[in-house]
Amino acid sequence: MGAYDPEKEVRQPLLNKEIQPTICEKTTSTRPSSSSSEKRRKPTVSTVAFSLVLLGAILAFFSSLTLLLALANALSNSPAEKLESCAWDTLKSHVSLLDVPRIGHEEFLKRQSILAAALDEAGVDAFIAEPSASSSYYANISSAYDLSERPFLMILDRTGKFSYLAPKFELGRIAGLDVVFKKKTVIEWAEEESPYDVLKRETSYKKVMLDEHVRFMIAAGVQATGIEVVPMSQAIQSLRAVKTEAELAILRGINAFTLELIRSLQKCIDIGMSQETIDTAAHSLFSRAGVGSGYWAIVLFGEQAASPHGGSSGKTLQDGEFVLIDIGSSLHSYGSDVTRTILPSKSTISEELMGIWKTVHASQSAAVALMRANETCSDVDAASRKVITDAGYGEFFTHRLGHGLGLEMHEHPYLNGANSEKLKIGEVVTNEPVCLSI
């Protein structure tokens, strides 16, 4: 037995007895025990320092990672991407030039009324067109519609009645097109029928005018039924050549933007660039602005420019060479066509080449001075040609002066020595004299 411990007798009952909280303990807020206080001990100076060092290391890591990614991106960019980025810095402020509304519904109907009156005056029963610039102009039937051996024809008669002839099994697809009309008549033909016989039976036309883009097989098929077929007259051609204010606004927008695109490229083109680099960058710039679908371009260096429509590729720009850029795209189906001969900022050019450039510029100015209503197209061409001839380069002006511009890249009127048409207010033409002497 151990020695007697009087305190043990006092502690033992307390150790075996469950301690009950007092009323005071229930109603007062609890306070942390000494052991809890130890667990929530304030951080020491060394702990704070460690945290700051760790945070700094994390930030440094992510900064380095961002820098490495930016460097890798810069190194991976192709020459075309670098050129695009450089040009976009200037071009992006001009994208608002493209904020022009489409042709409205009422303008299409007005065009149809004007055409009907012209047909009546010409003594023609109806005008017939396949999907083309003409069908796009009069009824918003896009020229992008795929043609096949099965005729799909837009028809507008002298009373203003709108109709179209189409294969029966294609009617559902054609009905989905955004065609504009007041009221339409659908002339359907089945596979076991001749579409031309159906046209004659359903319309009783005696004489029709065919659009200039209609294929020969269509003309032959209509004519074989006994219907008289006449070609598109100059009077009908001129209806589309003279632009409305809505059309002029679209053409100004896309052509002004195209000019600014060339100017933005000019600031960034350097010696050593390839034709393909400039071509690819230009396409990307149009696409970035939302008008890339109608893109086309001819990019030529030095002696290549002596071939006005190009044909060669793979050349690298050298010092002493001009860059010729002939380029365009489309807005609401209306096209741009802008040509500029530029000299990179770091390049030098011979006096002879600079003299030729000035001669061509003077030739262009002479044509502009004569572009007035009622001037003959051939006379405008001759005025431009005279400047180059007087400078001793006449034999190298082998290209016409220009052409009309609208829904087609090349349309009436044409500025050449054989065209006796008179210019009209509202027509839009290009002015592109050449001296192909290099």
Side-chain angles (χ1 to χ4, degrees):
M1 295 181 62
Y4 173 74
D5 184 356
E7 289 185 7
K8 185 176 181 181
E9 289 186 351
V10 177
R11 292 197 311 271
Q12 191 69 39
L14 293 176
L15 293 173
N16 295 333
K17 184 178 180 181
E18 184 178 351
I19 300 176
Q20 298 296 327
T22 63
I23 295 176
C24 180
E25 289 174 330
K26 289 183 180 179
T27 57
T28 57
S29 58
T30 58
R31 306 182 69 177
S33 64
S34 59
S35 60
S36 176
S37 298
E38 290 176 0
K39 292 178 181 178
R40 300 184 184 180
R41 187 177 301 157
K42 293 182 179 180
T44 63
V45 174
S46 60
T47 304
V48 172
F50 175 76
S51 299
L52 290 175
V53 170
L54 180 61
L55 179 61
I58 293 172
L59 291 175
F61 170 76
F62 281 108
S63 296
S64 300
L65 183 61
T66 302
L67 184 62
L68 287 172
L69 289 173
L71 181 60
N73 186 54
L75 292 174
S76 64
N77 282 348
S78 67
E81 289 171 330
K82 292 176 183 177
L83 178 57
E84 175 199 346
S85 179
C86 175
W88 183 253
D89 288 342
T90 302
L91 183 62
K92 60 186 177 184
S93 63
H94 299 287
V95 175
S96 59
L97 291 168
L98 302 170
D99 295 336
V100 184
R102 295 177 177 273
I103 300 300
H105 186 274
E106 290 303 316
E107 179 155 328
F108 282 109
L109 297 181
K110 184 177 180 180
R111 293 172 180 178
Q112 292 176 16
S113 296
I114 293 172
L115 174 59
L119 293 172
D120 190 51
E121 184 177 347
V124 176
D125 293 326
F127 176 79
I128 297 177
E130 292 192 89
S132 60
S134 293
S135 68
S136 180
Y137 180 80
Y138 288 111
N140 199 39
I141 299 175
S142 174
S143 58
Y145 186 93
D146 292 330
L147 299 179
S148 75
E149 73 281 5
R150 296 181 174 91
F152 167 37
L153 306 177
M154 179 205 80
I155 306 166
L156 190 76
D157 72 18
R158 63 198 302 172
T159 69
K161 178 183 176 182
F162 176 86
S163 58
Y164 59 74
L165 174 80
K168 185 175 182 178
F169 76 93
E170 291 275 35
L171 293 181
R173 180 163 73 104
I174 293 172
L177 301 177
D178 189 20
V179 183
V180 178
F181 49 82
K182 277 186 179 179
K183 185 180 179 181
K184 72 175 178 179
T185 298
V186 177
I187 305 171
E188 62 180 58
W189 58 275
E191 287 285 273
E192 62 273 15
E193 297 178 291
S194 162
Y196 311 108
D197 289 339
V198 172
L199 174 67
K200 182 175 183 179
R201 183 185 71 223
E202 296 298 324
T203 64
S204 300
Y205 293 149
K206 304 296 183 184
K207 183 179 182 180
V208 297
M209 180 181 291
L210 298 186
D211 177 56
E212 60 187 320
H213 299 298
V214 167
R215 292 171 294 172
F216 177 78
M217 72 170 203
I218 303 295
V222 173
Q223 196 168 37
T225 67
I227 298 175
E228 183 182 354
V229 173
V230 297
M232 191 176 191
S233 67
Q234 189 178 97
I236 300 299
Q237 282 177 343
S238 68
L239 297 182
R240 186 157 66 85
V242 176
K243 307 301 188 286
T244 64
E245 284 302 318
E247 291 179 288
L248 291 173
I250 296 172
L251 285 165
R252 287 190 192 101
I254 186 62
N255 281 276
F257 178 78
T258 301
L259 178 56
E260 294 299 336
L261 186 144
I262 294 176
R263 288 171 174 167
S264 71
L265 285 171
Q266 181 178 10
K267 297 176 181 179
C268 303
I269 291 174
D270 288 325
I271 295 169
M273 284 187 176
S274 70
Q275 294 171 271
E276 289 74 20
T277 291
I278 298 174
D279 185 10
T280 301
H283 193 181
S284 296
L285 289 168
F286 274 116
S287 298
R288 201 164 176 176
V291 287
S293 60
Y295 172 78
W296 61 272
I298 301 171
V299 179
L300 303 172
F301 299 158
E303 72 279 359
Q304 287 180 323
S307 177
H309 289 161
S312 57
S313 60
K315 184 173 172 57
T316 299
L317 181 62
Q318 305 296 317
D319 186 20
E321 292 182 327
F322 278 123
V323 177
L324 186 146
I325 300 179
D326 187 3
I327 195 170
S329 193
S330 64
L331 175 65
H332 309 325
S333 298
Y334 287 82
S336 61
D337 184 358
V338 179
T339 304
R340 288 293 183 272
T341 301
I342 62 178
L343 186 66
S345 60
K346 297 178 182 178
S347 186
T348 56
I349 207 76
S350 69
E351 290 186 10
E352 180 187 10
L353 287 177
M354 185 55 71
I356 293 173
W357 184 92
K358 291 178 179 178
T359 297
V360 173
H361 186 267
S363 172
Q364 188 179 54
S365 299
V368 169
L370 206 61
M371 285 183 178
R372 300 185 295 262
N374 294 318
E375 291 287 353
T376 305
C377 291
S378 59
D379 289 344
V380 179
D381 178 271
S384 172
R385 201 170 295 274
K386 182 178 184 302
V387 175
I388 292 178
T389 299
D390 289 349
Y393 298 105
E395 64 181 294
F396 302 111
F397 194 166
T398 58
H399 196 279
R400 71 184 173 212
L401 175 62
H403 54 82
L405 181 65
L407 287 169
E408 293 179 282
M409 200 59 60
H410 292 176
E411 63 180 39
H412 296 277
Y414 293 98
L415 302 180
N416 59 47
N419 190 0
S420 59
E421 287 183 70
K422 301 287 187 180
L423 289 175
K424 301 177 182 65
I425 294 176
E427 290 180 329
V428 176
V429 295
T430 65
N431 181 3
E432 40 192 328
V434 295
C435 182
L436 309 176
S437 66
I438 299 175

